[in-house]
Amino acid sequence: MLTEEEYKFLISDQPAQKYTMGEVIFREGVVPSGIYFIHKGKIKKYKVDHLGREQIIYVANQGEFIGYHAVLSEERYPDSAAAIEESILSFIPKEDFLQVLGNSPLLTSRMLKALSHEFTVLANSISVFSQRSAIERLAIALIFLREKYKQDLNEQGEILINISRNDLANLAGLAKENVIRLLKELKSEDIIYTEGRKIWIKNIEKLIIRSNYR
């Protein structure tokens, strides 16, 4: 956690900017001039291969920083970032971030934990998805998203996952057509129900079984 003074210096005194769904925040290969703090919404971090295919490697939540990898390593952005839904972010200049980081062991520790967490998620997704069937990949992606969206409860106390089919496909490493077909399959098994792009998981135990995750 940031101290009150650090929060004021880094975040509350910075103007907040609204990003619409799909709007790009930064692109892979660009030299960073700062980092971003997410006030509201969810941000996908992704890479694009030589064929133009997108692979989502992480989903960042409200209260998280993004873009700090490149600043800390003094390199270009290793991936791109875009809003999954309407989001509000503050840009923090590189100099301000490094100044506070240099004087705050607490923030340094938080950044290291965040880096470790993202690396673990990426490493797990590579190893988990590499030998999984399509339905297992989708089930694992939905379980991951359920954790990310658990603060977005509806009136019945259910977790709402609000994500486009393209983004879901890019997270699971599947074709969009496969995702649509498999969602119908999970719906017929009464594991999920959907409304437009919205997904609710009705039976997490069954979904875990379908993921075959151990």
Side-chain angles (χ1 to χ4, degrees), residues 12-77:
S12 63
D13 282 352
Q14 300 291 349
Q17 182 175 341
K18 184 181 287 186
Y19 290 83
T20 57
M21 184 180 69
E23 189 172 354
V24 174
I25 296 152
F26 57 78
R27 293 191 185 277
E28 181 178 355
V30 173
V31 176
S33 54
I35 68 170
Y36 296 82
F37 178 79
I38 306 169
H39 293 280
K40 178 188 174 186
K42 291 176 178 60
I43 307 299
K44 63 179 179 180
K45 295 179 65 183
Y46 63 95
K47 297 181 80 69
V48 178
D49 67 18
H50 66 287
L51 296 175
R53 294 175 303 200
E54 183 181 301
Q55 175 65 60
I56 296 177
I57 56 177
Y58 188 72
V59 175
N61 250 347
Q62 176 180 328
E64 289 188 65
F65 292 98
I66 58 169
Y68 57 88
H69 304 70
V71 171
L72 292 175
S73 62
E74 298 184 337
E75 295 177 352
R76 297 172 185 268
Y77 287 123

Side-chain angles (χ1 to χ4, degrees), residues 138 179-189 192 194:
L138 179 61
V179 165
I180 292 170
R181 177 180 58 81
L182 293 169
L183 286 175
K184 287 179 181 176
E185 188 178 313
L186 292 174
K187 197 173 179 180
S188 71
E189 295 173 15
I192 65 168
T194 63

Side-chain angles (χ1 to χ4, degrees), residues 1 17 32 42-43 67 71 78 92 94 96-97 101 103 111 130 132-133 143 146 175 190:
M1 293 290 291
Q17 182 175 341
K42 291 176 178 60
I43 307 299
V71 171
I92 301 165
K94 175 181 176 180
D96 291 351
F97 171 62
L101 193 69
N103 296 320
M111 291 294 100
S130 60
R132 295 281 173 174
S133 68
I143 292 166
R146 183 178 182 272
D190 210 31

